[in-house]
Amino acid sequence: MIIYIANKKYIIRNSSLSGIYFRAPVFLRDYNKKYLSLNEQLYRSQWSSFIRNLIIFDKAVWINNPVATYRAENKLFQLKSAKKIGFMVPKTILTNNEKISINSKKLYIVKSLDSALFYNNLTKKEMFTYSNILIGNELKQYDLSNAPLLIQEFISPKIDIRATFIGGKIFPVKILHNGNGLHDDWRKQKNNLEYIPFTLPLYIQNKIKKLMSYLNLNFGGIDLILNKNNYYFIEVNPTGEWGWLETTSKLPISEAIVKYL
Amino acid sequence: MKEHILLKKAFIYANTSKIKKPRQCIYDKFKGYWKFISNGAPMMLSEHPYKLGTKKADIETGEDQKGE
């Protein structure tokens, strides 16, 4: 592959390319989008495909390979894989029917199957749906037929853990508020929390390495829950955010990414 | 049709934050980092570098916009 940046020519060969940092995987297929001009549709779709076609560089270290990323981002697949590896996972139901058999008086975690990021054209505001804690009776009041969602057992009390995995190295932090675990989705108050580096038990580290190898991922933001000495796998994000984490915890995440590439 | 719970429970952002360009800096596309216009020194190695931020300045919006 030959790339020109201004007047400089760069030649990239499969045999010598050492690493690819696939930082912002967005799958742009803008078919029939009225708000985009023809040129914009052409630009977005074809350049996006060009990036995906870079998988021909199969000798380079990828963070992360697009094929592995798109496979691993599926939550049911993650949970199944984690369970197969030997992780404890929350009991999970996927449904679009509010009449399912759940305990009306019990608390559940309700979350989206895919990232629930919306733009309201009427209010011109962006919206994002975090995980929510609901009592079964409240959930039954909604009409879920329009879209499926995940219902999971509510595990409490808990300490949330984010373990950033980079090429075999694991950087775990406990996520606390005033020294205590959080009841709700910690991301709702991300900027007001403590991120305390610590060491995971060896058997959990081994499970993480095994899982990431199974998913063919060299990087991931892994969410775990610690409840009464039990570690539960919640999810892995192949393109998880980490900038805020390095700033707050002082963990050398960016250095680890550079060294791995 | 009743509102879906994922819409009802959505957090509404007040404003969409924009990533700010470092002041008095220019991006060196050959070297791949921001540097000061005055002396060419790397911005991130200065006394007051911009905080590390990932692709959406670490705004929690669901990590990726997969598929459109």
Side-chain angles (χ1 to χ4, degrees):
Chain A
M1 182 165 72
I2 299 172
I3 297 176
Y4 290 92
I5 300 177
N7 293 322
K8 285 202 176 179
K9 180 180 177 181
Y10 297 85
I11 299 172
I12 299 169
R13 296 192 175 90
N14 197 20
S15 55
S16 54
L17 182 62
S18 63
I20 298 176
Y21 189 20
F22 190 32
R23 195 166 170 259
V26 182
F27 216 100
L28 298 176
R29 278 205 173 124
D30 299 310
Y31 296 139
N32 301 318
K33 292 286 173 69
K34 292 176 184 173
Y35 57 86
L36 294 174
S37 69
L38 285 172
N39 273 324
E40 281 172 326
Q41 291 178 53
L42 178 69
Y43 175 95
R44 284 157 69 97
S45 61
Q46 303 310 308
W47 279 113
S48 175
S49 181
F50 165 79
I51 289 172
R52 294 195 300 277
N53 271 274
L54 292 178
I55 57 173
I56 56 168
F57 291 103
D58 53 5
K59 292 186 172 39
V61 165
W62 278 86
I63 291 182
N64 278 310
N65 180 285
V67 177
T69 297
Y70 290 122
R71 187 178 78 142
E73 276 177 337
N74 293 292
K75 284 183 184 168
L76 290 188
F77 180 70
Q78 288 182 14
L79 289 168
K80 182 181 176 180
S81 302
K83 194 169 179 183
K84 190 173 177 173
I85 296 296
F87 267 112
M88 292 176 74
V89 299
K91 287 180 195 150
T92 302
I93 300 169
L94 173 66
T95 186
N96 74 326
N97 184 357
E98 67 279 4
K99 294 185 176 65
I100 55 156
S101 177
I102 56 171
N103 190 321
S104 295
K105 294 176 185 171
K106 213 173 158 186
L107 289 174
Y108 294 92
I109 295 288
V110 174
K111 56 169 78 168
S112 57
L113 185 58
D114 193 24
S115 295
L117 175 66
F118 310 107
Y119 181 77
N120 189 324
N121 284 310
L122 295 173
T123 61
K124 311 293 180 199
K125 298 282 188 198
E126 278 190 343
M127 301 157 59
F128 178 74
T129 309
Y130 294 96
S131 298
N132 283 277
I133 303 169
L134 287 180
I135 197 164
N137 197 42
E138 184 185 356
L139 183 62
K140 288 175 184 290
Q141 308 306 314
Y142 288 89
D143 179 358
L144 305 181
S145 59
N146 195 34
L149 51 69
L150 293 172
I151 302 172
Q152 289 187 315
E153 65 172 308
F154 176 56
I155 297 169
S156 182
K158 65 176 172 78
I159 291 179
D160 293 287
I161 294 164
R162 165 61 67 96
T164 305
F165 177 94
I166 303 158
K169 290 188 180 170
I170 304 172
F171 299 92
V173 295
K174 286 184 180 174
I175 302 170
L176 304 172
H177 184 253
N178 294 332
N180 299 311
L182 282 103
H183 180 71
D184 208 344
D185 188 329
W186 61 268
R187 296 172 301 169
K188 290 180 181 175
Q189 46 181 321
K190 196 161 103 175
N191 296 326
N192 301 318
L193 303 176
E194 300 120 42
Y195 301 93
I196 313 297
F198 76 112
T199 305
L200 282 164
L202 194 58
Y203 77 99
I204 294 295
Q205 293 184 45
N206 289 337
K207 284 189 203 294
I208 288 175
K209 289 176 186 175
K210 207 171 163 185
L211 176 64
M212 296 301 276
S213 173
Y214 182 77
L215 297 175
N216 195 28
L217 296 175
N218 294 319
F219 173 90
I222 299 158
D223 288 328
L224 307 171
I225 277 177
L226 177 60
N227 164 259
K228 298 174 186 170
N229 294 324
N230 291 318
Y231 287 87
Y232 288 80
F233 171 86
I234 301 302
E235 69 174 12
V236 55
N237 197 307
T239 54
E241 307 282 7
W242 52 265
W244 104 94
L245 192 52
E246 176 156 329
T247 305
T248 51
S249 68
K250 311 296 178 204
L251 287 168
I253 296 174
S254 54
E255 184 183 328
I257 291 172
V258 167
K259 281 185 176 168
Y260 189 64
L261 288 167
Chain B
M1 186 169 70
K2 287 187 216 168
E3 196 173 21
H4 195 283
I5 191 173
L6 292 180
L7 293 176
K8 178 72 178 172
K9 296 290 185 179
F11 175 83
I12 301 170
Y13 288 103
N15 293 300
T16 306
S17 296
K18 298 207 186 308
I19 299 171
K20 293 174 190 160
K21 183 184 154 183
R23 287 186 206 162
Q24 297 163 351
C25 291
I26 189 166
Y27 187 76
D28 187 324
K29 56 188 168 188
F30 299 108
K31 292 184 180 164
Y33 56 76
W34 289 92
K35 61 184 184 186
F36 288 104
I37 296 169
S38 56
N39 59 8
M43 179 273 293
M44 283 304 289
L45 297 180
S46 66
E47 279 184 6
H48 302 287
Y50 271 52
K51 275 196 316 186
L52 277 181
T54 39
K55 54 188 178 297
K56 296 184 297 296
D58 291 319
I59 298 163
E60 194 63 55
T61 57
E63 314 283 10
D64 298 294
Q65 296 173 48
K66 299 178 293 295
E68 287 197 30

